[in-house]
mmCIF file of all heavy atoms in Angstrom:
data_model
loop_
_atom_site.group_PDB
_atom_site.id
_atom_site.type_symbol
_atom_site.label_atom_id
_atom_site.label_comp_id
_atom_site.label_asym_id
_atom_site.label_seq_id
_atom_site.Cartn_x
_atom_site.Cartn_y
_atom_site.Cartn_z
ATOM 1 N N LEU Q 125 42.975 68.929 -45.097
ATOM 2 C CA LEU Q 125 41.545 69.207 -45.011
ATOM 3 C C LEU Q 125 40.839 68.038 -44.349
ATOM 4 O O LEU Q 125 40.994 66.883 -44.758
ATOM 5 C CB LEU Q 125 40.960 69.432 -46.408
ATOM 6 C CG LEU Q 125 39.435 69.582 -46.505
ATOM 7 C CD1 LEU Q 125 38.964 70.814 -45.741
ATOM 8 C CD2 LEU Q 125 38.993 69.646 -47.964
ATOM 9 N N LEU Q 126 40.040 68.337 -43.334
ATOM 10 C CA LEU Q 126 39.183 67.349 -42.679
ATOM 11 C C LEU Q 126 37.730 67.749 -42.881
ATOM 12 O O LEU Q 126 37.400 68.939 -42.834
ATOM 13 C CB LEU Q 126 39.477 67.283 -41.176
ATOM 14 C CG LEU Q 126 40.892 66.924 -40.751
ATOM 15 C CD1 LEU Q 126 40.993 66.966 -39.227
ATOM 16 C CD2 LEU Q 126 41.307 65.559 -41.270
ATOM 17 N N GLY Q 127 36.861 66.777 -43.071
ATOM 18 C CA GLY Q 127 35.443 67.081 -43.229
ATOM 19 C C GLY Q 127 34.676 65.860 -43.671
ATOM 20 O O GLY Q 127 35.202 64.745 -43.703
ATOM 21 N N THR Q 128 33.423 66.069 -44.026
ATOM 22 C CA THR Q 128 32.624 64.975 -44.564
ATOM 23 C C THR Q 128 33.182 64.574 -45.923
ATOM 24 O O THR Q 128 33.972 65.299 -46.539
ATOM 25 C CB THR Q 128 31.158 65.392 -44.744
ATOM 26 O OG1 THR Q 128 31.075 66.406 -45.760
ATOM 27 C CG2 THR Q 128 30.564 65.906 -43.442
ATOM 28 N N PRO Q 152 42.613 63.754 -46.756
ATOM 29 C CA PRO Q 152 43.250 62.511 -46.338
ATOM 30 C C PRO Q 152 43.079 61.432 -47.407
ATOM 31 O O PRO Q 152 42.429 61.649 -48.440
ATOM 32 C CB PRO Q 152 42.487 62.132 -45.062
ATOM 33 C CG PRO Q 152 41.640 63.309 -44.715
ATOM 34 C CD PRO Q 152 41.417 64.059 -45.982
ATOM 35 N N GLU Q 155 40.566 55.971 -47.427
ATOM 36 C CA GLU Q 155 40.203 55.218 -46.228
ATOM 37 C C GLU Q 155 39.953 56.150 -45.048
ATOM 38 O O GLU Q 155 38.961 55.994 -44.311
ATOM 39 C CB GLU Q 155 41.308 54.232 -45.875
ATOM 40 C CG GLU Q 155 41.036 53.416 -44.620
ATOM 41 C CD GLU Q 155 42.185 52.500 -44.246
ATOM 42 O OE1 GLU Q 155 43.163 52.415 -45.016
ATOM 43 O OE2 GLU Q 155 42.119 51.876 -43.166
ATOM 44 N N ASP Q 156 40.837 57.127 -44.873
ATOM 45 C CA ASP Q 156 40.665 58.072 -43.771
ATOM 46 C C ASP Q 156 39.454 58.970 -43.995
ATOM 47 O O ASP Q 156 38.745 59.319 -43.045
ATOM 48 C CB ASP Q 156 41.932 58.924 -43.602
ATOM 49 C CG ASP Q 156 43.092 58.138 -43.009
ATOM 50 O OD1 ASP Q 156 42.832 57.129 -42.331
ATOM 51 O OD2 ASP Q 156 44.252 58.535 -43.225
ATOM 52 N N CYS Q 157 39.203 59.345 -45.258
ATOM 53 C CA CYS Q 157 38.010 60.162 -45.561
ATOM 54 C C CYS Q 157 36.743 59.430 -45.145
ATOM 55 O O CYS Q 157 35.830 60.022 -44.538
ATOM 56 C CB CYS Q 157 37.959 60.477 -47.051
ATOM 57 S SG CYS Q 157 39.080 61.768 -47.615
ATOM 58 N N ALA Q 158 36.679 58.134 -45.472
ATOM 59 C CA ALA Q 158 35.494 57.347 -45.131
ATOM 60 C C ALA Q 158 35.332 57.223 -43.625
ATOM 61 O O ALA Q 158 34.219 57.315 -43.091
ATOM 62 C CB ALA Q 158 35.590 55.966 -45.784
ATOM 63 N N ALA Q 159 36.457 57.017 -42.927
ATOM 64 C CA ALA Q 159 36.391 56.873 -41.473
ATOM 65 C C ALA Q 159 35.929 58.165 -40.806
ATOM 66 O O ALA Q 159 35.083 58.145 -39.899
ATOM 67 C CB ALA Q 159 37.761 56.462 -40.934
ATOM 68 N N ILE Q 160 36.451 59.290 -41.268
ATOM 69 C CA ILE Q 160 36.073 60.578 -40.670
ATOM 70 C C ILE Q 160 34.625 60.909 -40.996
ATOM 71 O O ILE Q 160 33.881 61.427 -40.147
ATOM 72 C CB ILE Q 160 37.035 61.681 -41.140
ATOM 73 C CG1 ILE Q 160 38.434 61.440 -40.563
ATOM 74 C CG2 ILE Q 160 36.520 63.061 -40.727
ATOM 75 C CD1 ILE Q 160 39.498 62.358 -41.107
ATOM 76 N N ASP Q 161 34.184 60.609 -42.212
ATOM 77 C CA ASP Q 161 32.786 60.837 -42.570
ATOM 78 C C ASP Q 161 31.859 60.054 -41.647
ATOM 79 O O ASP Q 161 30.840 60.586 -41.175
ATOM 80 C CB ASP Q 161 32.552 60.430 -44.020
ATOM 81 C CG ASP Q 161 31.148 60.759 -44.500
ATOM 82 O OD1 ASP Q 161 30.882 61.944 -44.775
ATOM 83 O OD2 ASP Q 161 30.315 59.836 -44.588
ATOM 84 N N ALA Q 162 32.206 58.822 -41.361
ATOM 85 C CA ALA Q 162 31.380 57.998 -40.466
ATOM 86 C C ALA Q 162 31.365 58.568 -39.052
ATOM 87 O O ALA Q 162 30.322 58.570 -38.385
ATOM 88 C CB ALA Q 162 31.897 56.563 -40.459
ATOM 89 N N ILE Q 163 32.508 59.055 -38.592
ATOM 90 C CA ILE Q 163 32.568 59.663 -37.260
ATOM 91 C C ILE Q 163 31.651 60.880 -37.181
ATOM 92 O O ILE Q 163 30.912 61.072 -36.215
ATOM 93 C CB ILE Q 163 34.024 60.049 -36.924
ATOM 94 C CG1 ILE Q 163 34.870 58.785 -36.683
ATOM 95 C CG2 ILE Q 163 34.079 60.976 -35.700
ATOM 96 C CD1 ILE Q 163 36.362 59.052 -36.606
ATOM 97 N N ILE Q 164 31.676 61.691 -38.220
ATOM 98 C CA ILE Q 164 30.862 62.906 -38.232
ATOM 99 C C ILE Q 164 29.372 62.567 -38.267
ATOM 100 O O ILE Q 164 28.577 63.044 -37.438
ATOM 101 C CB ILE Q 164 31.238 63.800 -39.432
ATOM 102 C CG1 ILE Q 164 32.673 64.328 -39.292
ATOM 103 C CG2 ILE Q 164 30.250 64.965 -39.565
ATOM 104 C CD1 ILE Q 164 33.228 64.940 -40.559
ATOM 105 N N VAL Q 165 28.989 61.741 -39.236
ATOM 106 C CA VAL Q 165 27.558 61.490 -39.486
ATOM 107 C C VAL Q 165 26.949 60.563 -38.442
ATOM 108 O O VAL Q 165 25.829 60.797 -37.966
ATOM 109 C CB VAL Q 165 27.369 60.923 -40.908
ATOM 110 C CG1 VAL Q 165 25.901 60.572 -41.146
ATOM 111 C CG2 VAL Q 165 27.837 61.934 -41.954
ATOM 112 N N ARG Q 180 41.593 58.569 -33.559
ATOM 113 C CA ARG Q 180 41.648 58.299 -35.001
ATOM 114 C C ARG Q 180 41.871 59.587 -35.781
ATOM 115 O O ARG Q 180 42.705 59.638 -36.698
ATOM 116 C CB ARG Q 180 40.324 57.648 -35.444
ATOM 117 C CG ARG Q 180 40.268 57.275 -36.932
ATOM 118 C CD ARG Q 180 41.075 56.030 -37.186
ATOM 119 N NE ARG Q 180 40.772 55.433 -38.483
ATOM 120 C CZ ARG Q 180 41.338 55.776 -39.645
ATOM 121 N NH1 ARG Q 180 42.267 56.725 -39.661
ATOM 122 N NH2 ARG Q 180 40.996 55.176 -40.765
ATOM 123 N N VAL Q 181 41.141 60.625 -35.445
ATOM 124 C CA VAL Q 181 41.285 61.889 -36.155
ATOM 125 C C VAL Q 181 42.643 62.523 -35.873
ATOM 126 O O VAL Q 181 43.301 63.046 -36.774
ATOM 127 C CB VAL Q 181 40.133 62.850 -35.783
ATOM 128 C CG1 VAL Q 181 40.379 64.236 -36.365
ATOM 129 C CG2 VAL Q 181 38.795 62.290 -36.287
ATOM 130 N N VAL Q 184 45.189 60.987 -38.045
ATOM 131 C CA VAL Q 184 45.140 61.518 -39.411
ATOM 132 C C VAL Q 184 45.857 62.859 -39.483
ATOM 133 O O VAL Q 184 46.635 63.126 -40.416
ATOM 134 C CB VAL Q 184 43.685 61.651 -39.885
ATOM 135 C CG1 VAL Q 184 43.619 62.374 -41.232
ATOM 136 C CG2 VAL Q 184 43.023 60.280 -39.991
ATOM 137 N N LEU Q 203 33.222 68.686 -36.107
ATOM 138 C CA LEU Q 203 34.514 68.173 -35.645
ATOM 139 C C LEU Q 203 35.086 68.927 -34.444
ATOM 140 O O LEU Q 203 35.783 68.323 -33.624
ATOM 141 C CB LEU Q 203 35.531 68.160 -36.788
ATOM 142 C CG LEU Q 203 35.522 66.923 -37.685
ATOM 143 C CD1 LEU Q 203 36.498 67.093 -38.837
ATOM 144 C CD2 LEU Q 203 35.854 65.656 -36.892
#
Side-chain angles (χ1 to χ4, degrees):
L125 173 63
L126 301 178
T128 66
E155 179 183 355
D156 288 336
C157 283
I160 293 172
D161 185 76
I163 289 169
I164 294 167
V165 176
R180 182 76 165 86
V181 172
V184 173
L203 274 175

